[in-house]
Amino acid sequence: MSEAEKYRKATYHLWTFTASKMIAMLGSSVLSFGISLYILALTGSAMSFAINMICSVLPRALVAPLAGYVADNFPKKRTILLAQAGGILTAGGLLLYTETMGMSVNAIYVATILYTFCSAFSGVTFSSAIATLVNPERLQRAISFNQMSISIAAIGGPVIGGVMYGFFPMDVFLIVHMVAYGIAFCLEATMNFTLYSTRGEAVEKEKLFAGLMGGFRYIKQHKIIMIVMLLSVWINLFFSGVAIGSTYIIIQLLEVSSKHFGFIEAAGAVGMLIASIYFATQAEIKTPLRFSKINLLLLSGSLLLAVLPLFIDLSYMNIVGFFIGLYFIISIFEMGINMPLGVYMQKLIAEDYRGRVFGLMETMAMSMMPIGMLVYGALFDYLPATGILLVTSAIIFVITLILLRPTVLKEAHPEFYDKVGEEIVN
């Protein structure tokens, strides 16, 4: 295939990939929103809602390394299509059960677990395949479009789901999800997941245990990858707590209504969408770790602002407006961290190990979320919210300075620092 043909195919991938992700994520978001409302209406129990949340997080954290192994050792296209088909069959099975036996919370739990397994395989495999779908020059745009799809789904899913919930039964939510996944399946079936692959035609498959251990060894041998992984672990640990803390401050201490809190959360999704569009139109960041460090420091500083309404007398609408602006800014800083690191890791990790590395990163990062939620949930019950957020902000600041110290940045981007050194000398 000529370079011109590959470039045209990559352009097709860029838009097809974006469309399939957006449609699938939107269908998933609508279903997730509908199921959440259904569980709360059926049981009136926050615990039932929390159990369903655990069913959507814990299985993915457990199976992600296996998904990474499969992504590295088996055809990516086949894995993604099988996982998408599994999601359709899961929704179809729940729909059939509902029609014959009636909807039950236990059936929803089982379906959520099965769906989470399928999404883990498709998600990790897609993450490891982005660099083989498009040319390196458009990698940042592809990742930006991926994030754009997630942001649009985060905004549109609750809106569509909220409207549907008032007029349609749960069966319709399941049908919408199946249709969305069916469209995504058809789009992904037309894509060439080896377009920019650097691997040979015959790839020797590793045995499961050896393959998983190979992923661990690869990470240990690459200092920068290890540092980025540690950074993601710490960020997920503390920011899961920050999410609880900010919600606690806004709703419990400042008594903001749930309706207005919805606008505040939507501002975060809008911020991510705008940041995604910005990165999609800009040249690739030359020093991604340095750029991420700056945004992490700004993000840790912005957390301090969350406690200001507790000390300053503001009107109700000013409080809502303040947090809308704060969530918007924080989401932009988050994108300033995730986007450059995502592009950098795609290029840094060898194709043979990309799935396993992303799978292990996802497991470690996601496993920190429930831990952070439990720890911070207990802390906010017994300690002042202001002190917890101030200490957390300081810890994030210090961890950033330690992990992304100048020697690490110089090792990651020697060409930039060598050039700067030469300019200073001259």
Side-chain angles (χ1 to χ4, degrees):
M1 187 183 297
S2 67
E3 284 301 318
E5 289 175 322
K6 289 179 71 174
Y7 189 87
R8 284 195 297 271
K9 190 67 175 176
T11 302
Y12 172 79
H13 284 167
L14 189 63
W15 295 107
T16 306
F17 163 76
T18 303
S20 68
K21 288 287 286 184
M22 187 181 300
I23 293 168
M25 289 295 296
L26 196 58
S28 179
S29 181
V30 169
L31 179 62
S32 177
F33 186 85
I35 282 178
S36 299
L37 292 180
Y38 180 84
I39 289 175
L40 289 174
L42 185 66
T43 66
S45 168
M47 178 59 71
S48 297
F49 178 75
I51 291 173
N52 193 60
M53 288 291 290
I54 292 171
C55 290
S56 66
V57 173
L58 188 59
R60 181 160 187 150
L62 294 175
V63 81
L66 176 60
Y69 165 80
V70 171
D72 285 338
N73 288 277
F74 295 90
K76 291 179 172 59
K77 183 174 182 176
R78 186 176 68 187
T79 301
I80 290 170
L81 292 179
L82 285 173
Q84 295 282 47
I88 296 171
L89 291 174
T90 298
L94 184 59
L95 178 62
L96 181 62
Y97 181 89
T98 302
E99 290 295 326
T100 55
M101 305 292 292
M103 182 68 78
S104 73
V105 176
N106 288 334
I108 291 175
Y109 293 158
V110 173
T112 300
I113 292 171
L114 293 175
Y115 174 75
T116 302
F117 278 130
C118 294
S119 65
F121 279 91
S122 62
V124 171
T125 307
F126 245 129
S127 295
S128 67
I130 294 176
T132 62
L133 287 169
V134 299
N135 49 314
E137 294 76 20
R138 290 189 288 184
L139 190 55
Q140 179 169 294
R141 182 176 296 181
I143 294 177
S144 299
F145 282 2
N146 180 42
Q147 184 60 53
M148 199 185 306
S149 302
I150 296 172
S151 300
I152 291 173
I155 298 169
V159 174
I160 297 172
V163 172
M164 287 178 57
Y165 189 78
F167 297 97
F168 300 105
M170 187 54 58
D171 296 8
V172 178
F173 283 82
L174 294 169
I175 293 171
V176 167
H177 177 270
M178 292 170 66
V179 171
Y181 260 52
I183 295 171
F185 180 95
C186 293
L187 291 172
E188 289 154 10
T190 66
M191 297 164 66
N192 179 4
F193 285 83
T194 60
L195 184 64
Y196 282 91
S197 175
T198 57
R199 306 173 80 178
E201 290 294 328
V203 179
E204 186 179 347
K205 295 181 178 64
E206 298 178 275
K207 292 184 178 180
L208 178 59
F209 182 75
L212 293 175
M213 293 307 298
F216 278 110
R217 285 194 297 271
Y218 181 82
I219 293 169
K220 288 178 64 177
Q221 292 168 3
H222 293 77
K223 177 182 175 182
I224 302 300
I225 296 175
M226 176 67 78
I227 288 173
V228 172
M229 183 173 285
L230 289 173
L231 194 64
S232 68
V233 168
W234 286 112
I235 288 174
N236 276 272
L237 174 64
F238 289 114
F239 277 97
S240 60
V242 168
I244 290 176
S246 58
T247 303
Y248 178 78
I249 289 173
I250 294 169
I251 293 180
Q252 199 69 25
L253 300 183
L254 298 174
E255 299 181 346
V256 172
S257 71
S258 57
K259 178 178 71 174
H260 290 134
F261 182 64
F263 284 110
I264 293 171
E265 289 199 315
V270 171
M272 287 187 177
L273 177 60
I274 291 174
S276 299
I277 295 172
Y278 171 80
F279 280 110
T281 58
Q282 298 300 306
E284 185 178 322
I285 304 297
K286 299 300 181 184
T287 54
L289 257 66
R290 181 172 175 268
F291 190 87
S292 296
K293 176 181 180 179
I294 293 170
N295 279 273
L296 254 174
L297 295 176
L298 291 171
L299 183 59
S300 67
S302 65
L303 296 178
L304 301 175
L305 299 176
V307 302
L308 284 182
L310 297 175
F311 297 102
I312 300 174
D313 188 21
L314 297 174
S315 67
Y316 178 84
M317 291 312 298
N318 282 337
I319 290 173
V320 173
F322 172 84
F323 279 105
I324 285 175
L326 184 60
Y327 270 54
F328 180 82
I329 293 170
I330 286 177
S331 67
I332 289 177
F333 289 150
E334 287 179 354
M335 288 297 295
I337 298 164
N338 295 332
M339 191 63 63
L341 285 181
V343 177
Y344 181 67
M345 293 294 277
Q346 286 282 346
K347 291 188 171 183
L348 182 64
I349 303 168
E351 185 181 345
D352 290 343
Y353 293 92
R354 214 171 274 150
R356 280 168 286 179
V357 172
F358 283 131
L360 289 168
M361 285 184 68
E362 186 164 314
T363 291
M364 293 178 68
M366 292 190 72
S367 64
M368 290 296 105
M369 292 172 64
I371 294 174
M373 290 176 181
L374 289 173
V375 171
Y376 274 87
L379 288 175
F380 279 105
D381 280 342
Y382 297 102
L383 298 174
T386 52
I388 295 171
L389 282 185
L390 291 174
V391 171
T392 299
S393 176
I395 292 174
I396 294 171
F397 192 89
V398 171
I399 287 175
T400 302
L401 292 178
I402 293 174
L403 290 179
L404 298 181
R405 53 194 179 275
T407 54
V408 172
L409 298 182
K410 187 172 182 179
E411 183 176 341
H413 313 301
E415 66 288 344
F416 172 79
Y417 286 92
D418 291 344
K419 183 178 178 181
V420 170
E422 290 175 5
E423 290 176 355
I424 293 174
V425 171
N426 295 332

